[in-house]
Amino acid sequence: MNGKETGRPAAAKPLSEQIAVRREKLARMREQGFDYPNAWRSTHSAASLHERFASMDAEALESEHIEVAVAGRIMAHRVMGKASFMHIQDESGRIQLFLNRDALGAEIYNPTKKWDLGDIIGARGTMFRTRTGELSVRVTHVEMITKCLRPLPEKWHGLSDKELRYRQRYVDLIVSEDSRRIFRTRSQIVRLLRSALEAKGFMEVETPMLQLQAGGAAARPFITHHNALDVDLYLRIAPELYLKRLLVGGFERVFEINRNFRNEGLDATHNPEFTMVEFYQAYADVNDAMDRTEELIREIADGLGVKQVEWEGVIVRLDRPFRRIRLDEAVFAKRPDLKGHAHDKALLATACLQEIPDFKPLITWKAGHYLAALFEHLCEEELKQPTFVTHYPVDVSPLARRNREDPLVTDRFELFIAGREMANGFSELNDPDDQRERFEKQQQARAAGDMEAAPIDEDFIRALEYGMPPAAGVGIGVDRLVMMFTGQHSIRDVLLFPHMRPETTA
């Protein structure tokens, strides 16, 4: 196309020089009275213009003389002497502007030739189509709203440095439609979760993030200090014990979309701060919990208009019944020699030493710990299609109800998709004496060096002593749901501002 493209920084110029040039422009604008105005009001978004006028041809637009006001960030700028084209971008998309010196006057038009990519502007004008048929605004008034002092990434490459994308998400969102799509989808998934649970009679609640004890999961907590009370507090690792207190209090269906904090490592599926949804239902069991979990995921898929997704190289079918298998049977399928020996600690320990590199168990481990370790190492990665793994050992399930037929396992499940854990749920333990015994075993493990073992929560046991109805509860990782539905490998790609190491300066 004829014309000169402006506002695009020369590749040879260092960043400091590009910023200096833009600051010089801002200084001249300030001298002329520019003060970052806050009076602009738009009548239309870019998307609404395309939607409303898509069917109108050039002749119809000219005859209607439709006046509009729009605002957005300059993403492309072509100057052709007395006329220029800009593409501006708002939250909804892009629209083209046509600026003409004769229509605007030289006093208004000439400064626009020096405007940069990234500048936020407002324009009023009438709708028309160019000779190539592109829907555009013929500008009759234009003004600078916000000056962009830093150059945007080169348009052909975007923000290719992943670490920079995470640190400067605001820039990533400007230049990447795919990133904007991911976070719109995330918001939609949260809305669908909330509406689906409310439609089933669950009440949304809020429970403390600052807790006197970190409970409800096996994880290292973050510790802070309350100055007025002179007491250490913990950022919650899970809301479970508070939500179950509400069952005691008489609320029979509750849920919380919650932020949790765990002082652990960072990898493709873990961030120290993350989001889960946990829901609890009185007079329900583990089978109800699995049914409810499957329903929720399928309802989200329906709301997004998909029946299958591609994730981690797997076509995941969400329109088929989720498979259900026992944990011990999954291990036996890999190690047939262990069949019938699910409670043989010595044999399972030997198998772990054979199968798991650099295996280092704690001295407090029992048979169930070894069996769970074998499952994690041998089986998890191969569970590609949605699969509920059930009957977890009681040794690794301190809050779950024992199975009536086999008291060494619990009525607990974990859901795996594409080899990743997505949800955890179980029939809740409501026997206060059994719960105290489980907590005491956790204390023994903690004393032996397991810093993720849960402490005894005396107030929770007291709540159980008032009587909690039989119930089922489920926790689903919202971040991982978003990863699945958007096809992302890393949790950082679905968190607006993931945790990073501090930036270093030379």
Side-chain angles (χ1 to χ4, degrees):
M1 179 175 287
N2 294 331
K4 180 181 179 182
E5 185 171 337
T6 65
R8 176 177 171 181
K13 287 186 178 180
L15 178 62
S16 59
E17 183 177 340
Q18 297 174 48
I19 294 173
V21 170
R22 290 182 179 228
R23 283 199 167 274
E24 288 174 6
K25 294 179 182 180
L26 175 61
R28 291 195 293 271
M29 290 166 56
R30 289 189 190 276
E31 290 173 358
Q32 297 166 8
F34 177 75
D35 63 351
Y36 285 84
N38 189 24
W40 185 265
R41 299 295 180 267
S42 297
T43 60
H44 295 79
S45 67
S48 68
L49 292 177
H50 286 290
E51 181 180 356
R52 181 175 176 182
F53 303 118
S55 62
M56 295 182 68
D57 60 20
E59 185 177 350
L61 287 171
E62 292 288 355
S63 65
E64 291 286 340
H65 194 74
I66 302 162
E67 295 186 350
V68 300
V70 293
R73 190 181 295 274
I74 301 173
M75 302 303 292
H77 190 187
R78 301 188 304 278
V79 178
M80 297 167 287
K82 296 181 180 181
S84 59
F85 286 94
M86 294 180 184
H87 278 97
I88 63 169
Q89 174 179 288
D90 62 17
E91 183 181 13
S92 70
R94 296 188 182 190
I95 188 70
Q96 180 170 261
L97 307 181
F98 173 68
L99 292 77
N100 184 281
R101 188 177 68 181
D102 294 338
L104 291 170
E107 185 178 354
I108 299 296
Y109 175 75
N110 288 341
T112 70
K113 295 163 67 175
K114 300 296 184 181
W115 288 355
D116 294 305
L117 297 188
D119 290 347
I120 299 174
I121 66 170
R124 285 193 290 271
T126 57
M127 300 304 300
F128 81 109
R129 288 194 183 276
T130 65
R131 284 179 293 179
T132 61
E134 183 170 354
L135 187 67
S136 306
V137 179
R138 182 183 287 114
V139 176
T140 57
H141 171 82
V142 66
E143 62 183 77
M144 177 72 71
I145 298 175
T146 302
K147 179 63 186 171
C148 178
L149 296 176
R150 289 178 174 267
L152 299 181
E154 230 236 288
K155 71 176 184 179
W156 302 114
H157 300 100
L159 203 58
S160 57
D161 184 325
K162 278 205 166 188
E163 182 168 324
L164 197 58
R165 285 174 54 200
Y166 302 146
R167 289 190 187 280
Q168 300 179 17
R169 181 67 80 188
Y170 38 89
V171 181
D172 178 42
L173 293 171
I174 291 172
V175 300
S176 173
E177 171 56 32
D178 190 54
S179 287
R180 295 194 295 274
R181 175 191 62 83
I182 288 170
F183 292 107
R184 289 192 191 101
T185 302
R186 181 188 179 102
S187 180
Q188 188 177 1
I189 288 170
V190 172
R191 288 198 306 272
L192 290 166
L193 264 176
R194 177 176 281 113
S195 62
L197 284 166
E198 288 177 341
K200 292 173 173 59
F202 286 82
M203 180 179 72
E204 185 170 12
V205 298
E206 296 172 295
T207 61
M209 284 190 175
L210 290 174
Q211 303 178 355
L212 288 170
Q213 290 182 243
R220 289 194 178 207
F222 288 94
I223 306 173
T224 187
H225 187 79
H226 192 293
N227 292 332
L229 297 177
D230 191 24
V231 63
D232 285 341
L233 295 172
Y234 300 87
L235 292 180
R236 73 174 171 204
I237 57 177
E240 177 172 342
L241 301 187
Y242 281 94
L243 291 173
K244 289 196 283 194
R245 285 173 169 93
L246 297 179
L247 296 181
V248 173
F251 290 123
E252 295 182 355
R253 296 189 181 202
V254 294
F255 78 96
E256 183 172 8
I257 297 174
N258 53 86
R259 302 290 285 180
N260 294 323
F261 308 86
R262 299 183 183 179
N263 199 351
E264 299 170 344
L266 293 81
D267 59 29
T269 58
H270 294 88
N271 191 70
E273 179 180 358
F274 61 98
T275 304
M276 292 186 68
V277 58
E278 292 202 13
F279 59 92
Y280 292 81
Q281 179 178 344
Y283 309 107
D285 64 15
V286 67
N287 295 302
D288 300 308
M290 286 189 284
D291 291 343
R292 188 75 70 203
T293 302
E294 186 169 347
E295 289 170 4
L296 278 175
I297 292 175
R298 190 162 290 124
E299 287 178 27
I300 293 171
D302 291 342
L304 296 175
V306 299
K307 294 185 179 299
Q308 62 185 36
V309 294
E310 184 174 355
W311 188 34
E312 300 294 2
V314 179
I315 301 299
V316 179
R317 297 297 302 265
L318 300 173
D319 56 342
R320 296 176 177 174
F322 292 6
R323 180 187 177 205
R324 301 185 183 191
I325 61 170
R326 288 177 57 112
L327 181 144
D328 53 4
E329 291 177 354
V331 173
F332 300 155
K334 291 292 184 180
R335 287 289 301 261
D337 58 307
L338 299 178
K339 189 173 180 63
H341 301 283
H343 308 308
D344 188 328
K345 175 181 173 180
L347 186 60
L348 293 171
T350 300
C352 285
L353 291 169
Q354 294 169 346
E355 297 285 355
I356 305 173
D358 301 319
F359 181 64
K360 296 178 181 179
L362 294 174
I363 60 172
T364 56
W365 273 28
K366 295 181 169 51
H369 294 95
Y370 292 103
L371 186 64
L374 284 169
F375 168 77
E376 180 178 346
H377 182 73
L378 297 174
C379 308
E380 281 189 9
E381 182 62 29
E382 296 186 4
L383 300 175
K384 303 301 186 184
Q385 295 302 318
T387 303
F388 289 113
V389 178
T390 65
H391 295 81
Y392 272 71
V394 69
D395 301 325
V396 296
S397 309
L399 297 170
R401 187 185 187 94
R402 293 178 190 267
N403 181 271
R404 285 188 175 277
E405 297 177 359
D406 183 353
L408 294 180
V409 300
T410 59
D411 290 334
R412 174 187 169 194
F413 74 85
E414 287 191 4
L415 172 64
F416 291 88
I417 301 177
R420 293 186 171 183
E421 179 193 344
M422 304 295 288
N424 179 35
F426 37 82
S427 296
E428 300 297 339
L429 175 58
N430 62 343
D431 179 338
D433 296 332
D434 191 357
Q435 184 64 80
R436 177 177 292 281
E437 181 182 339
R438 307 272 194 98
F439 276 151
E440 289 172 349
K441 289 181 179 179
Q442 289 282 294
Q443 284 292 88
Q444 294 170 10
R446 192 175 185 85
D450 184 358
M451 300 310 296
E452 294 186 351
I456 297 177
D457 189 329
E458 292 290 351
D459 180 70
F460 178 65
I461 293 174
R462 178 170 56 194
L464 292 183
E465 289 173 343
Y466 277 95
M468 186 180 86
V474 177
I476 303 175
V478 172
D479 304 314
R480 294 186 187 179
L481 272 183
V482 178
M483 289 169 65
M484 179 182 73
F485 280 111
T486 59
Q488 302 304 305
H489 170 73
S490 173
I491 192 173
R492 293 182 176 186
D493 289 315
V494 302
L495 298 176
L496 281 167
F497 301 103
H499 286 272
M500 307 286 290
R501 292 185 184 276
E503 289 186 80
T504 57
T505 55

